[in-house]
Amino acid sequence: MSSDADHEEVCGMSLAIDVVGGKWKMHLMWVLGSGPVRFGQIRKLLQGVSEKVLAENLRQLEANGIVHREIYPEIPPRVEYSLTPLGQELAEALRPLEEWGDKNRRQLTENLLASAS
């Protein structure tokens, strides 16, 4: 079992990467940044993600306190996902990364195309 002291020695960058690492988590943060979204809507917005992978990523983000899952007592049941205050703070921290990508889109795209050939 690890102690609080063990966790304090872990680099903050490592903790953050553990939370948002993987192919889909930052994309999920972007989708959820505009407000509550249903599972099906997320799948439409994130083309290429399987149902299983999406559900797994949402569960991980929920376990880390980044995503809130709201179940409405309706028939059929309605479930919406949204960012928690901690998730909103993380989304704000990721915004400069998005801006960097937008600013350097042309060069990054050219580099990706060149490395693929």
Side-chain angles (χ1 to χ4, degrees):
M1 182 178 266
S2 61
S3 68
D4 288 340
D6 292 338
H7 292 295
E8 288 177 14
E9 292 177 19
V10 175
C11 169
M13 179 65 80
S14 294
L15 290 169
I17 289 172
D18 284 347
V19 171
V20 297
K23 182 175 179 178
W24 297 105
K25 289 181 185 166
M26 283 198 229
H27 294 285
L28 277 166
M29 299 286 301
W30 176 77
V31 169
L32 297 174
S34 59
V37 186
R38 294 175 74 172
F39 190 89
Q41 293 170 303
I42 297 170
R43 282 222 44 219
K44 286 178 187 174
L45 291 168
L46 296 181
Q47 295 180 358
V49 65
S50 71
E51 231 176 269
K52 178 184 175 187
V53 169
L54 177 57
E56 184 178 295
N57 278 264
L58 285 167
R59 275 193 299 274
Q60 290 170 356
L61 288 169
E62 185 180 7
N64 284 315
I66 304 301
V67 168
H68 171 71
R69 182 174 183 252
E70 182 76 29
I71 304 170
Y72 294 90
E74 302 171 353
I75 299 176
R78 176 171 53 110
V79 178
E80 290 182 342
Y81 297 89
S82 59
L83 294 176
T84 64
L86 185 62
Q88 291 170 358
E89 185 179 349
L90 177 57
E92 205 49 48
L94 293 172
R95 192 154 288 119
L97 184 61
E98 178 184 9
E99 291 168 0
W100 177 84
D102 287 341
K103 177 183 171 191
N104 296 289
R105 179 183 313 272
R106 193 175 129 253
Q107 182 178 351
L108 294 168
T109 303
E110 287 173 4
N111 293 347
L112 287 171
L113 291 172
S115 68
S117 15

